[in-house]
């Protein structure tokens, strides 16, 4: 094992890097805080950095859907490294990225600045959620729309939402220009076009939106590249998993359209769509004693739509109950449409505002993150050392269903 110090960061690796300054194991061992493990993975199928949550990740040869499965390999590592892993104080750095040094160090803001584009039904509801729940966490929320009166309206209204006699610091909502969209810690993409009208006979609304929203997000992915954006690019518009992939690809193309890995890193992009599917499954699970255990034992995987997998329990998986909850969650939006209204409030809050707040807090949430070239929804959290994906001892029947969804997403884009 080799140990290094580089730009005041402490690193170690299983292989030698001749361009780095060697130091002793004791120096790295005694460092308080995050240290960095240098490894090499296919940069076109793997993240640039992530949190080491178990020892097997130090020996990872490729990233794929198996990131969801628990692995017990530790290769007799020193106790101090195992303790660092337990404390989530090791970040994997993929040195096959030409700009891997940009991931050193990874610093979460103490108070976040968030910019949001798209103040329609979803965007405005999400904005209200962030204003009300983001106290002491978010400093400012910048909002942008091509309609200046929309910006003024929400700036006026939301800054006047405040309880009396409070010591809490609620985020200020401010109008911003397009030029300032990426002067922030998190960019939230809520722009959308072509949402099917209520009463239209559409089963999977999100796929109808894919083409139109892809054209929109391309522009902002390239703008993120042009601004050398270092924050989180949060995708809320549907379909979040596929649009996240579009954003990644487009931001990493040079002027000739060639992929060059100089745009957004995969771990910078997150798709927020799975939170509401978990909330919908929970809504139906509470209605029956046979399924109420989902709230404590269950998990959601996959996209916000076709391919969704709701597992009733990860300790005692039941295929029949899981299929019922999956179907109920998938069709919940149709039940709202049958009332004559668009189903946007629960998605904007459960998938959007609440999940974004949990991301900021470093708490577990449901969102789509990068796994081997595909953005896949699963339980994860943002540690000080990077993204941690929950790893479970999944039964084969459940894992096979998750893998099928994973492959299907990969076939689309």
């Amino acid at each position: 094992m080799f140990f290094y110090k580089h730009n005041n960061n402490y690193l170690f690796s299983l292989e030698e890097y001749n361009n780095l300054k060697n130091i002793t194991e004791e120096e790295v061992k005694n460092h308080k805080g995050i240290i960095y493990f240098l490894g090499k993975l296919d940069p076109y199928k793997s993240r640039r950095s992530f949190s080491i949550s178990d020892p097997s990740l130090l020996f990872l040869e490729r990233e794929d859907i198996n990131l969801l499965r628990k692995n017990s390999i530790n290769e007799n590592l020193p106790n101090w490294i195992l303790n660092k892993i337990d404390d989530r104080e090791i970040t994997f750095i993929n040195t096959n990225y030409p700009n891997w040094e940009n991931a050193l160090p990874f610093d979460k803001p103490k108070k976040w600045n968030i910019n949001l584009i798209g103040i329609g039904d979803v965007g405005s509801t999400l904005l209200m959620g962030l204003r009300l729940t983001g106290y002491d966490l978010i400093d400012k929320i910048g909002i942008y729309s091509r309609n200046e009166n929309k910006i003024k309206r929400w700036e006026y209204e939301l800054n006047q939402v405040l309880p009396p006699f409070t010591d809490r610091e609620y985020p200020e909502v401010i109008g911003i220009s397009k030029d300032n969209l990426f002067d922030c810690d998190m960019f939230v993409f809520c722009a959308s076009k072509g949402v099917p009208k209520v009463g239209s006979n559409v089963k999977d609304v999100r796929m109808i939106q894919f083409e139109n929203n892809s054209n929109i997000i391309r522009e902002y992915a390239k703008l993120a590249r042009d601004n050398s954006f270092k924050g989180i690019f949060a995708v809320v518009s549907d379909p979040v998993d596929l649009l996240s992939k579009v954003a990644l690809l487009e931001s990493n193309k040079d002027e000739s359209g060639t992929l060059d890995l100089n745009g957004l890193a995969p771990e910078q992009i997150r798709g927020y769509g799975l939170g509401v599917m978990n909330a919908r499954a929970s809504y139906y699970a509470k209605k029956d004693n046979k399924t109420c255990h989902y709230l404590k034992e269950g998990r959601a995987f996959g996209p916000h739509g076709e391919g969704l997998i709701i597992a009733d329990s990860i300790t005692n998986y039941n295929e029949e109950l899981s299929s019922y909850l999956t179907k109920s969650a998938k069709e919940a939006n149709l039940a709202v449409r049958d009332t004559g209204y668009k189903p946007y409030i629960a998605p904007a809050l459960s998938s959007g505002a609440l999940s974004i707040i949990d991301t900021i807090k470093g708490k577990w949430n449901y969102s789509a993150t990068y796994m081997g070239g595909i953005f896949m929804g699963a339980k994860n959290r943002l540690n000080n050392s990077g993204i941690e994906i929950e790893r479970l001892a999944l039964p084969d029947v459940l894992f096979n269903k998750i893998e099928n969804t994973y492959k299907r997403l990969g076939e689309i884009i």
Side-chain angles (χ1 to χ4, degrees), residues 183-251:
D183 296 337
C184 61
D185 303 302
M186 179 185 288
F187 168 77
V188 182
F189 181 82
C190 294
S192 188
K193 182 180 179 182
V195 180
K197 296 180 180 179
V198 172
S200 59
N201 186 24
V202 176
K203 291 186 177 181
D204 196 347
V205 173
R206 70 187 206 115
M207 292 308 297
I208 299 297
Q209 297 174 268
F210 180 40
E211 183 176 355
N212 287 331
N213 289 347
S214 291
N215 292 329
I216 301 172
I217 205 169
R218 283 189 180 97
E219 176 184 356
Y220 296 98
K222 292 175 180 176
L223 194 58
R225 174 193 174 98
D226 293 342
N227 283 269
S228 301
F229 183 54
K230 305 301 182 187
I232 292 176
F233 192 110
V235 181
V236 179
S237 301
D238 273 333
V240 302
D241 32 39
L242 302 180
L243 291 179
S244 294
K245 182 67 176 291
V246 172
L248 177 66
L249 293 175
E250 293 300 324
S251 78

Side-chain angles (χ1 to χ4, degrees), residues 63-134:
E63 290 192 348
D64 55 26
I65 194 60
N66 285 290
L67 288 174
L68 294 175
R69 295 196 109 167
K70 186 178 289 186
N71 196 315
S72 59
I73 296 174
N74 66 41
E75 296 286 344
N76 298 317
L77 292 166
N79 285 333
W80 71 268
I81 290 181
L82 295 176
N83 291 335
K84 280 280 192 183
I85 292 172
D86 287 342
D87 293 337
R88 303 300 190 264
E89 290 186 339
I90 301 180
T91 300
F92 187 107
I93 300 293
N94 185 356
T95 59
N96 276 339
Y97 272 82
N99 58 357
W100 65 267
E101 292 184 59
N102 290 345
L104 297 171
F106 169 73
D107 292 320
K108 289 174 66 176
K110 292 182 179 179
K111 291 193 74 171
W112 293 60
N113 287 319
I114 295 178
N115 286 346
L116 181 151
I117 179 173
I119 326 174
D121 291 337
V122 171
S124 59
T125 305
L126 189 154
L127 180 60
M128 287 187 278
L130 290 181
R131 164 75 178 180
L132 292 172
T133 61

Side-chain angles (χ1 to χ4, degrees), residues 240 271-279 300-304 308 351 366-367 377-378:
V240 302
Y272 289 94
L274 189 57
V276 73
M277 306 312 279
N278 167 69
F301 301 94
H304 171 62
L308 171 73
S351 290
Y366 281 113
S367 50

Side-chain angles (χ1 to χ4, degrees), residues 47 53 65 67-69 270-272 274-275 278 294-302 309 314 355 358-359 362-371 376-383 387-392 394 402:
R47 296 165 290 178
S53 58
I65 194 60
L67 288 174
L68 294 175
R69 295 196 109 167
R270 306 172 67 90
Y272 289 94
L274 189 57
N278 167 69
Y294 171 79
L295 279 74
K296 292 185 177 180
E297 300 176 19
R299 292 292 188 277
F301 301 94
I309 297 163
I314 54 170
S355 295
D358 281 341
T359 299
K363 295 178 65 176
W364 291 109
N365 65 91
Y366 281 113
S367 50
T369 61
Y370 195 74
M371 301 185 201
M376 180 74 177
K379 183 180 175 182
N380 69 89
R381 62 182 174 182
L382 183 62
N383 300 323
I387 294 175
E388 175 185 358
I389 297 169
E390 183 187 42
R391 310 191 83 190
L392 298 166
L394 297 169
I402 295 171

